[in-house]
Amino acid sequence: LIRNDDSNGTLNSQIGPYVLPYSGEYTVVASSYGFINGFENSTGEFTLTIETIALVETSYDESLDISFDEESGTQFIEFEGEAGDVIAVLVESNGSIDTVATLISPSGITIISDDDGGVGFDPEIERVVLAESGTYTLELRSFTLGDVGDAEVTITLSDTRTLDGSESREIRLNAKQFNDILVFEGEAGEIISLTIELVSGNINSFNITAEQDFSTLMTYQTFGLPDTITLGFVVPADGTVITFYTCPLRRLIKF
């Protein structure tokens, strides 16, 4: 049904929140990484916990007050998102508690996790582009099990920036903001020339994709970006073209 290897930036596994598809008996198999991948088996001890959780529903720009006590160290918040939404997550505890925020896709994949990206020990997630429509889950847990405190959580929908005509845009990508999008209105048969200029930073892996109506028009991946590159593609139909930019390391790129 579902599996997981590493979660929350650790070597520990976590499945869920996961909605059981039917009533009956379920089996959980826990194996060492080596054994499950056909390598040498490892030995050690682990704790397996299965629990029923309550999901708190929210929507964009709605602030939630979340409380942690000695028994509830993890809270799960769900919201509806649309493919292409650009969102941000802000957690404010005023020093009450140290928390970690993890964003999980409708298909159960961890998108991004942050610990102290905000003020003090608060997490903060900036300008994440949602890849699919559906119900997303924000997991908020105390950094230290058993910690007690309160936090306010807000998930906001950011404006999508445009890239029309000869205008240029600057995008800053780093460990907190690993992707971004720019959109423009295209016409059928229009030949697009997209010029990317590296302003500062070091590029290891960098990806650019152009899509229209969920069809890929152009994709480019590089390990090490020259000072300037130009990419081209043809717009097949009238309508909005979305360009995605993804890079895992800190840098500033100007378009």
Side-chain angles (χ1 to χ4, degrees):
L1 295 175
I2 189 172
R3 62 177 295 178
N4 178 260
D5 176 19
D6 302 331
S7 66
N8 298 322
T10 72
L11 299 181
N12 296 323
S13 303
Q14 176 177 308
I15 291 176
Y18 179 71
V19 179
L20 301 183
Y22 55 84
S23 300
E25 184 176 281
Y26 287 79
T27 300
V28 177
V29 179
S31 303
S32 70
Y33 177 84
F35 178 80
I36 202 67
N37 287 281
F39 306 126
E40 182 179 354
N41 191 26
S42 302
T43 61
E45 298 180 353
F46 64 90
T47 300
L48 174 65
T49 303
I50 302 174
E51 60 180 340
T52 301
I53 62 173
L55 294 173
V56 180
E57 295 183 0
T58 190
S59 56
Y60 293 140
D61 300 320
E62 177 183 343
S63 296
L64 287 176
D65 293 324
I66 302 297
S67 297
F68 298 89
D69 55 39
E70 295 179 354
E71 296 182 355
S72 59
T74 304
Q75 302 287 345
F76 296 93
I77 302 167
E78 65 176 9
F79 64 96
E80 296 299 318
E82 297 291 333
D85 283 356
V86 183
I87 72 163
V89 177
L90 178 63
V91 180
E92 298 177 294
S93 68
N94 295 320
S96 171
I97 189 172
D98 184 3
T99 57
V100 179
T102 301
L103 184 62
I104 303 170
S105 73
S107 54
I109 304 298
T110 296
I111 300 173
I112 187 173
S113 184
D114 184 69
D115 181 10
D116 300 330
V119 177
F121 294 113
D122 291 336
E124 183 177 359
I125 297 173
E126 299 179 351
R127 290 189 64 80
V128 172
V129 182
L130 303 186
E132 57 184 310
S133 300
T135 303
Y136 286 78
T137 302
L138 178 68
E139 174 195 293
L140 190 65
R141 61 181 176 87
S142 59
F143 182 82
T144 302
L145 184 64
D147 274 3
V148 176
D150 301 304
E152 184 180 74
V153 181
T154 307
I155 303 171
T156 59
L157 179 65
S158 303
D159 293 333
T160 302
R161 297 190 297 167
T162 60
L163 183 64
D164 292 319
S166 59
E167 69 175 337
S168 63
R169 290 287 190 181
E170 290 189 356
I171 294 178
R172 184 183 300 272
L173 302 177
N174 50 52
K176 288 172 55 182
Q177 184 178 330
F178 65 93
N179 63 6
D180 207 341
I181 65 173
L182 298 172
V183 303
F184 66 90
E185 295 300 316
E187 297 181 358
E190 186 177 10
I191 300 174
I192 300 299
S193 178
L194 183 65
T195 300
I196 299 95
E197 175 188 347
L198 178 65
V199 176
S200 64
N202 297 316
I203 298 293
N204 278 345
S205 176
F206 181 57
N207 302 277
I208 305 172
T209 302
E211 294 183 359
Q212 187 181 57
D213 295 329
F214 302 103
S215 296
T216 300
L217 310 182
M218 178 275 297
T219 184
Y220 175 81
Q221 181 178 9
T222 180
F223 295 92
L225 184 68
D227 291 340
T228 302
I229 59 172
T230 300
L231 305 172
F233 58 93
V234 178
V235 179
D238 294 345
T240 302
V241 176
I242 304 175
T243 57
F244 296 85
Y245 309 88
T246 306
C247 198
L249 300 179
R250 184 180 303 276
R251 75 292 317 259
L252 179 63
I253 299 170
K254 181 179 180 180
F255 300 88

